Amino acid sequence: MNLTGRTRLVGVMGWPVSHSRSPAMHNAALQAAGLDVVYVPLPVDPANIGEAVRGLRALGFRGSNVTIPHKQTVIEYLDRLTDEAKVIGAVNTIRVEADGSMTGHNTDCYGAVGALRQDGGEVAGRTVVILGAGGAGRAVAAGCAFAGARRVVLLNRTVERAREVVAELRAKLPDRCEWLAGGLGKDALPESIWAEVSAVFQTTSVGMNDFGEIPLDANVLPSGCHVLESVYSPLNTPFLLQCRARGLRITDGLAMLLEQGALSFEFWFGIAPDRRAMRRALDS
Ligand code: ATR
């Protein structure tokens, strides 16, 4: 890496941030694109988030990613939000504009849909299921609606939480698609709807531990269904292994991580990154 007097910065604000795979992935993309920009980890104590956001402008950053626990609290320090960030109520990407103003965007929203498309799938006009109604599930559900899904089904262990998120998204995105909420299980939907499911986005934290748990029995899914996992440690979660054994098409958790990063890169620099270089960095 050749740092010069003109090197600009981007980074990721989180607390903690030391586990983040984003610096490796983004620096690989920056290097492949030949940009004189470096991506750095930015550990920001929640008490200092306002100062840190203002510091981006003061220090000439091109922008920053934002991760837990700052995705909502950064909003009040920004000058504008994109439609996606407004609907989701969370920001994972900040861009510092030429005039110094700051725009908040959310690429978690299209990361899932983008990862599906990279693997030849599509959500437009289809029925999709999202497992999990936390921050990730909400972003993916909104992304599916923005991308033209016909029916978006949000299933969560705590059904009430799924209902609340669906009510909120339905109110913010009226007439976009049909919205359904339910629990994690076969009984959540009639068989006729299960048969129409073309993609499942797994956004719960199930699979991150070694308990061998799965969020949903893959046997309820139709054979043409494409399953995307968001857990990437371990990469082969029990759910992905079960889906693979059933012969379903699968996309692993690093693909979603990669795609939200690729979309941030495009938002900052206006060019598509080398996704293969990013994936190599994530795999190494
Ligand atoms: P994130 O922002 O990453 O989505 P989160 O807001 O903490 O994280 O949400 C975690 C998600 O994983 C929730 O959907 C949670 O379900 P509940 O709303 O019922 O808590 C889900 N989850 C966590 N552990 C689970 C488990 N053992 N079985 C099923 N779902 C689980």
Side-chain angles (χ1 to χ4, degrees), residues 132-137 156-158 161 184 203-206 213:
N156 197 49
R157 175 178 61 179
T158 311
R161 198 172 178 198
L184 288 173
T203 75
T204 76
S205 49
V206 176
E213 273 183 301

Side-chain angles (χ1 to χ4, degrees), residues 160-224:
E160 199 41 51
R161 198 172 178 198
R163 291 206 184 105
E164 279 166 23
V165 173
V166 156
E168 191 193 316
L169 291 176
R170 189 188 276 131
K172 285 182 173 171
L173 298 169
D175 308 328
R176 280 240 179 205
C177 55
E178 180 188 346
W179 293 95
L180 296 173
L184 288 173
K186 188 178 194 297
D187 299 344
L189 296 173
E191 277 193 19
S192 56
I193 294 189
W194 278 120
E196 289 179 11
V197 174
S198 66
V200 173
F201 297 92
Q202 195 312 96
T203 75
T204 76
S205 49
V206 176
M208 278 185 194
N209 53 44
D210 292 327
F211 303 150
E213 273 183 301
I214 54 166
L216 178 78
D217 183 354
N219 289 310
V220 305
L221 303 175
S223 56

